[in-house]
Amino acid sequence: MPHLKKPQKVEPLSKLWDRKAQKCGLRHTVYSVNGDEYTGDWLDSKKHGKGTQICKKAGAIYDGDWKYGKRDGYGTYSKLLSVTNEYSREYSGGWKNDKKHGFGTYFYSDTACYEGEWSEDQRSGWGRMYYDNGDIYEGEWLKNKHHGQGMLRLANENRYEGNWKYGKKNGHGKFFYLDKGQLYEGFWVDGVAKCGTVSDFGRAEAPTPTIYPIPKVHLLDVRSVLMETQSTYHSE
């Protein structure tokens, strides 16, 4: 009796096409229907590893690390300038789950930039911000606002050193009026100085000092007076 061969199982065309469409490893440029382009590594049809994404509609390029289809690791994001028709770097640094995360530098303009820590696409942690007007803030951040300990140095060299809360001076701090040669040290509430002491500081080197020096105030216990005033605001 002749031996009959067992018929081979035929793979459905839908599964065959799906398997052949799976992108893994390094690929040449892949073009999307919306005009986007991606060149780099893949894993199970997801961007994974090193790669460069060109977003046509947004006029942007991301070049860096990917993880399961999302920006994750280190990468640079650049935007297309309409005036020069060239790409300008906007952000370089860490990413996590498609958002800025970790240490990175963001360029707001030619004269304004932030370098420091990020979390969930927001400035959070330690960082230094250079503003367009010449001011510089260095210290702690929370959700894009000064929060914690920090120093704000104004363009005229006057500066504040102390505590911040949600973008405003709050708590103990010192404000150095170097242009007048004075120092205010005290307590702040929502950006307003509530109680403290003012004294001469570097008056001899100040460019525009006050006409007369600050007279000394004689109190038996200056510290207790300040503490009593501060407790008033804490209790509100």
Side-chain angles (χ1 to χ4, degrees):
M1 184 175 180
H3 178 72
L4 297 177
K5 291 185 178 180
K6 188 177 181 180
Q8 294 182 349
K9 188 176 181 181
V10 179
E11 183 178 16
L13 287 177
S14 58
K15 291 187 177 182
L16 176 63
W17 292 336
D18 184 65
R19 180 171 55 82
K20 287 186 175 182
Q22 290 289 316
K23 295 181 281 290
C24 286
L26 178 62
R27 285 272 182 138
H28 293 295
T29 303
V30 175
Y31 299 88
S32 302
V33 178
N34 61 3
D36 293 352
E37 303 174 17
Y38 175 79
T39 304
D41 298 324
W42 296 81
L43 179 65
D44 295 334
S45 290
K46 292 183 179 180
K47 306 177 187 76
H48 191 88
K50 300 286 185 181
T52 302
Q53 171 88 35
I54 300 177
C55 301
K56 187 176 181 180
K57 186 176 181 180
I61 289 181
Y62 172 79
D63 180 47
D65 297 325
W66 296 81
K67 188 175 181 180
Y68 302 118
K70 295 183 178 181
R71 294 169 291 186
D72 201 296
Y74 181 86
T76 299
Y77 183 85
S78 303
K79 294 277 288 185
L80 183 65
L81 301 179
S82 57
V83 178
T84 62
N85 201 32
E86 295 180 348
Y87 286 95
S88 176
R89 183 178 56 173
E90 187 173 277
Y91 174 79
S92 290
W95 297 79
K96 185 178 181 181
N97 199 29
D98 228 23
K99 295 181 180 180
K100 293 182 283 291
H101 192 89
F103 190 89
T105 302
Y106 191 99
F107 299 90
Y108 294 89
S109 67
D110 291 337
T111 56
C113 74
Y114 169 83
E115 52 184 16
E117 295 176 302
W118 296 78
S119 178
E120 295 286 325
D121 253 352
Q122 294 182 320
R123 292 166 291 182
S124 289
W126 179 92
R128 182 187 295 116
M129 178 74 195
Y130 298 88
Y131 294 92
D132 285 315
N133 63 358
D135 294 350
I136 301 174
Y137 173 82
E138 183 173 357
E140 294 176 296
W141 296 73
L142 180 65
K143 296 182 179 180
N144 285 332
K145 293 184 178 181
H146 310 159
H147 192 86
Q149 290 294 315
M151 178 188 72
L152 176 65
R153 188 175 69 193
L154 305 180
N156 63 1
E157 298 299 327
N158 290 347
R159 71 180 187 271
Y160 169 81
E161 298 177 3
N163 201 58
W164 299 78
K165 188 176 182 181
Y166 303 123
K168 295 182 179 181
K169 304 179 189 71
N170 266 285
H172 293 278
K174 298 179 181 179
F175 200 103
F176 297 82
Y177 296 92
L178 299 183
D179 55 341
K180 297 180 180 180
Q182 293 181 342
L183 165 64
Y184 170 84
E185 184 175 1
F187 189 78
W188 304 71
V189 177
D190 293 335
V192 180
K194 292 297 183 177
C195 60
T197 60
V198 180
S199 58
D200 289 322
F201 182 88
R203 190 168 179 275
E205 296 80 21
T208 57
T210 55
I211 299 177
Y212 302 104
I214 298 175
K216 292 184 178 181
V217 178
H218 297 281
L219 292 175
L220 294 178
D221 192 348
V222 178
R223 187 175 182 83
S224 63
V225 173
L226 294 176
M227 291 181 65
E228 182 180 352
T229 309
Q230 292 171 19
S231 64
T232 303
Y233 293 101
H234 283 303
S235 61
E236 291 179 353

